[in-house]
């Protein structure tokens, strides 16, 4: 079966095609963010991920907790290049569509990608802009060489269920490797290498995460979240 994610009306995401799913934890060491393994999750060819934030089996749908959930998709469906703003630096350019999941991989040791861009004539700063862009789960920023070459890591199709102990919250669903995403109405979203889906149910930019899980203090503790074990 082809890899895909289908959004169901006021219900879960149906994931098909045996896409590996892992719980991953954002960790910060010596000013550098990375991913650490979380709980082991069961793998299967097809599964349903919660998008209402209420499942007792999180990150999976429990089949009933979304009964009163209204999950209307409100995100702009235009392709990234039409939505994103071009920001120019001396050594590299960057595009930014403001679609942020607050994972903070763009916060580098010596400043954010936006701080580093004006200094990108320095090879180290330029490289950090590239790393910030390539590691941004939501695909908000993209680093582009002056000759138009886009920097993008080759990512295997997979899904990370994000936990963020630094903010004491559970994060969204990080989808990587160009997994096609189908709307509830059958329309396809632009296929991207990196995007983050909302699973707390609170995003105002559904189906994508807009970081509202942070002020909303979303924790998937009913599913036995790793956050509970780390406190
Ligand atoms: S998971 Fe980030 S806004 Fe819902």
């Amino acid at each position: 079966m082809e890899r895909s994610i289908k959004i169901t009306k006021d219900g879960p995401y149906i994931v098909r095609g045996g896409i590996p799913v892992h719980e991953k934890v954002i960790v910060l060491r010596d000013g550098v963010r990375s991913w650490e393994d979380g709980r082991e999750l069961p793998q299967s060819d097809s599964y349903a991920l919660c998008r209402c934030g209420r499942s007792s089996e999180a990150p999976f749908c429990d089949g009933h907790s979304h009964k009163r959930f209204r999950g209307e998709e409100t995100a702009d469906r235009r392709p990234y290049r039409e939505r994103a703003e071009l920001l120019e630096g001396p050594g590299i350019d960057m595009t930014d569509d403001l679609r942020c999941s607050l994972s903070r991989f763009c916060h580098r040791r010596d400043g954010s990608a936006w701080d580093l861009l004006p200094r990108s004539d320095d090879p180290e700063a330029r490289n950090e802009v590239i790393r910030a862009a390539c590691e941004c789960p939501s695909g908000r920023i993209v680093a582009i060489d002056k000759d138009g070459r886009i920097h993008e890591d080759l990512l295997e199709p997979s899904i990370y269920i994000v936990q963020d102990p630094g903010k004491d919250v559970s994060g969204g669903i990080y989808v990587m490797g160009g997994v096609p995403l189908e709307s509830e109405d059958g329309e396809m979203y632009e296929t991207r290498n990196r995007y983050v889906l909302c699973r707390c149910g609170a995003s105002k930019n559904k189906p994508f995460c807009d970081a509202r899980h942070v002020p909303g203090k979303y924790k998937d503790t009913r599913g036995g979240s790793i956050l509970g074990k780390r406190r």
Side-chain angles (χ1 to χ4, degrees):
M1 197 181 289
E2 297 236 333
R3 292 185 190 106
S4 68
I5 299 177
K6 165 76 183 169
I7 301 163
T8 61
K9 183 170 166 48
D10 303 326
Y13 302 105
I14 306 297
V15 183
R16 296 194 176 93
I19 303 172
V21 56
H22 299 287
E23 184 177 72
K24 291 280 182 174
V25 183
I26 300 173
V27 293
L28 177 66
R29 280 200 195 90
D30 302 324
V32 178
R33 274 186 182 76
S34 61
W35 298 102
E36 214 171 64
D37 290 342
R39 290 172 303 170
E40 209 161 294
L41 298 175
Q43 307 293 313
S44 55
D45 193 53
S46 170
Y47 49 93
L49 291 176
C50 171
R51 76 176 179 111
C52 72
R54 302 174 196 154
S55 172
S56 59
E57 306 288 334
F60 301 103
C61 173
D62 64 8
H64 59 85
S65 293
H66 54 264
K67 267 191 190 128
R68 277 188 286 275
F69 174 62
R70 294 292 164 262
E72 192 192 346
E73 294 164 60
T74 50
D76 188 337
R77 299 192 191 187
R78 287 177 300 154
Y80 175 83
R81 66 176 184 283
E82 285 179 27
R83 293 182 288 104
E85 184 191 356
L86 176 67
L87 306 172
E88 292 180 85
I92 197 157
D93 298 336
M94 193 170 97
T95 44
D96 180 357
D97 74 349
L98 304 178
R99 193 171 278 177
C100 178
S101 60
L102 210 59
S103 303
R104 311 182 299 291
F105 284 82
C106 56
H107 299 184
R108 315 302 289 183
R109 210 193 321 247
D110 296 323
S112 73
W114 296 265
D115 298 330
L116 294 160
L117 189 69
R119 295 188 254 140
S120 59
D121 44 351
D122 169 1
E124 247 176 67
R126 179 180 175 279
N127 195 46
E128 281 299 283
V129 170
I130 294 168
R131 292 320 312 151
C134 291
E135 292 175 17
C136 165
S138 55
R140 170 180 173 168
I141 52 175
V142 172
I144 308 170
D145 277 340
K146 293 293 178 186
D147 62 5
R149 189 170 72 97
I150 290 172
H151 289 266
E152 202 61 64
D153 287 344
L154 191 64
L155 301 172
E156 281 299 309
S158 55
I159 290 177
Y160 285 1
I161 302 297
V162 178
Q163 301 292 359
D164 187 354
K167 295 277 183 198
D168 198 22
V169 293
S170 298
I173 299 168
Y174 175 19
V175 184
M176 64 198 88
V179 177
L181 176 65
E182 184 183 348
S183 163
E184 174 260 311
D185 64 18
E187 192 183 320
M188 299 304 293
Y189 285 85
E190 176 190 21
T191 299
R192 298 199 64 206
N193 194 29
R194 304 169 274 129
Y195 59 91
V196 177
L197 296 170
C198 172
R199 70 183 180 112
C200 75
S203 173
K204 295 268 186 269
N205 195 38
K206 289 185 181 68
F208 303 105
C209 169
D210 68 355
R212 275 189 168 74
H213 60 270
V214 178
K217 301 190 188 338
Y218 169 63
K219 285 180 195 162
D220 63 358
T221 43
R222 279 174 294 181
S225 161
I226 194 164
L227 289 172
K229 290 172 198 147
R230 290 196 166 207
R231 276 197 297 275

